Each structure stands twice: as structure tokens, then as C-alpha cells.
């Protein structure tokens, strides 16, 4: 018998609606991971896109804490954890705000804003923005190698991402591909898998 996965802290009842998103849901995400909600989340303002972006940025930062990277992923003990972002200047800026002054496993976190097709050094997490699955697959192939690629399109896992954001019942959820994680030599915490919307063996 299949077991319905546990829902993450973002899933709360909706006392106040904001264009399909709720201030209570968004604030719960930030509170659960220990990040103070930005001022816009404490007010009845802002757009649904901005709110969605803030929630996803908070999740992206948190994913790093639940991923075990191989020993060779860092050049030296002081090397930073690097997040690359393709396709959204706004997300890169939001992530930079979220990670400012924070660290993962004692390492600082830096955000790199990348352009499609841009080469460069490998990154630990690569976020490919946009709903175009074909483009996401192209970006994943042409961008710097990433140990933890994350997408937000319908067929993200099939394109090779390890984690793919989805909107389910107006909440930000995410699916996980164990095969992609294994290929990238990244071990994901069972705590992260427990709160995933769906965990698949294979890219289907």
C-alpha cells in the first residue's frame, strides 16, 4: 500500500489569500527554516509571483543543508557552497538576500548569476528558472556542471534535474529523482525525502 508523503510546513490552512498564495503559508516556510520573513510577507502587499519566488528561494537554501556532497566537491576546507541561477535575475537577487551572512556546514554560500550557455566552474546547486521543459533540458546540458540541479518545469526530472518544483493546490511542492541524485553522487537526507511531494526511482 502506498503511503501519502508528509506535507512540508508550507501547507497550512489559508486565513488570507493573496492571488493564489497566502501570507500565512509563506511565513510558515521562512519560520520553519529559521529565516526571518522579508517585510513584504508581513504585509498585505506584493505580487503572487514575488511571494512564490521568496518561498522557492527559501527552499533552495534549505535543500543545501539536506544534501551530502562528495568529498571532491570542494577545493579546500574554506571553499564556499555555490548556487548558480539561470533565467531569473530576480531569483538570483532573492537568493543573495536569503543566503547573506549564512553558511552551510561552516562554509559561506555564494550566488552566481549565469546566462544560458555560459560555461565556468562547477556549482553545487543550479536553479533553472522557467516553465519550458525543453529549454530547461538545454540549459542543464550547456551550463556549468551541477551536483544538485533544480528546475520548475513540468518535465524537470525527465530533463535530468534532481529536484523539480511544482505547484500543488496553490502550494509550492517539489518532486525528487533518486536516480538523478545517484548519478550526481549526491546523497539526500531522508528528512527531505519525507516532505517531498513525490519521490521517484527513475526520471518519470
Amino acid at each position: 500500500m502506498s503511503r501519502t508523503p508528509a506535507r512540508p510546513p508550507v501547507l497550512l490552512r489559508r486565513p488570507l489569500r493573496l492571488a493564489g498564495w497566502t501570507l500565512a503559508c509563506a511565513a510558515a516556510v521562512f519560520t520553519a527554516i529559521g529565516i526571518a520573513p522579508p517585510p513584504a510577507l508581513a504585509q498585505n502587499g506584493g505580487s503572487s509571483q514575488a511571494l512564490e519566488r521568496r518561498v522557492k528561494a527559501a527552499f533552495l537554501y534549505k535543500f543545501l543543508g539536506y544534501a551530502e556532497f562528495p568529498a571532491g566537491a570542494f577545493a579546500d576546507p574554506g571553499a564556499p557552497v555555490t548556487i548558480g541561477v539561470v533565467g531569473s535575475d530576480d531569483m538570483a537577487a532573492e537568493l543573495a538576500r536569503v543566503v547573506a551572512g549564512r553558511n552551510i556546514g561552516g562554509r559561506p554560500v555564494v550566488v552566481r548569476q549565469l546566462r544560458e550557455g555560459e560555461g565556468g566552474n562547477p556549482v553545487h546547486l543550479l536553479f533553472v528558472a522557467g516553465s519550458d521543459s525543453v529549454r530547461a533540458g538545454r540549459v542543464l546540458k550547456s551550463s556549468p556542471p551541477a551536483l544538485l540541479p533544480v528546475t520548475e518545469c513540468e518535465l524537470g526530472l525527465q530533463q535530468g534535474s534532481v529536484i523539480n518544483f511544482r505547484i500543488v493546490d496553490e502550494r509550492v511542492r517539489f518532486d525528487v529523482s533518486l536516480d538523478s541524485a545517484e548519478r550526481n553522487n549526491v546523497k539526500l537526507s531522508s528528512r527531505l525525502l519525507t516532505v517531498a511531494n513525490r519521490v521517484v526511482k527513475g526520471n518519470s
Side-chain angles (χ1 to χ4, degrees):
M1 180 179 296
S2 61
R3 181 176 63 86
T4 301
R7 291 178 177 266
V10 67
L11 302 178
L12 300 179
R13 293 188 179 278
R14 300 174 301 198
L16 179 62
R17 192 177 184 84
L18 178 60
W21 297 88
T22 69
L23 301 179
C25 289
V29 172
F30 287 91
T31 300
I33 66 176
I35 299 176
L41 294 183
Q43 304 169 5
N44 298 347
S47 69
S48 60
Q49 288 183 337
L51 189 53
E52 177 183 346
R53 184 168 57 248
R54 291 183 179 117
V55 172
K56 287 180 177 178
F59 271 127
L60 288 170
Y61 167 72
K62 197 61 177 177
F63 289 158
L64 292 170
Y66 290 102
E68 183 179 330
F69 298 110
F74 300 95
D76 58 70
V81 179
T82 305
I83 301 174
V85 179
V86 179
S88 176
D89 295 348
D90 289 338
M91 177 60 85
E94 182 62 32
L95 271 168
R97 186 199 69 79
V98 169
V99 306
R102 297 181 178 276
N103 65 76
I104 298 292
R107 299 178 184 274
V109 184
V110 299
V111 178
R112 287 174 52 193
Q113 190 171 326
L114 305 172
R115 302 302 177 192
E116 183 175 346
E118 178 181 347
N121 296 326
V123 298
H124 298 98
L125 185 153
L126 176 67
F127 176 68
V128 181
S131 59
D132 186 333
S133 298
V134 174
R135 174 183 172 275
R138 185 175 66 243
V139 170
L140 289 176
K141 290 180 176 66
S142 63
S143 297
L147 292 167
L148 186 60
V150 181
T151 52
E152 59 177 355
C153 55
E154 182 177 359
L155 302 177
L157 297 188
Q158 289 90 325
Q159 297 296 341
S161 66
V162 173
I163 299 175
N164 185 63
F165 283 120
R166 297 182 61 196
I167 305 302
V168 180
D169 295 332
E170 299 179 346
R171 278 84 160 173
V172 176
R173 304 295 305 276
F174 59 91
D175 297 337
V176 176
S177 168
L178 295 179
D179 278 4
S180 290
E182 184 176 351
R183 281 196 302 271
N184 289 4
N185 199 21
V186 172
K187 183 177 180 181
L188 300 177
S189 167
S190 59
R191 293 179 62 190
L192 180 67
L193 300 181
T194 298
V195 298
N197 176 68
R198 190 168 63 111
V199 177
V200 300
K201 183 68 174 176
N203 292 333
S204 59

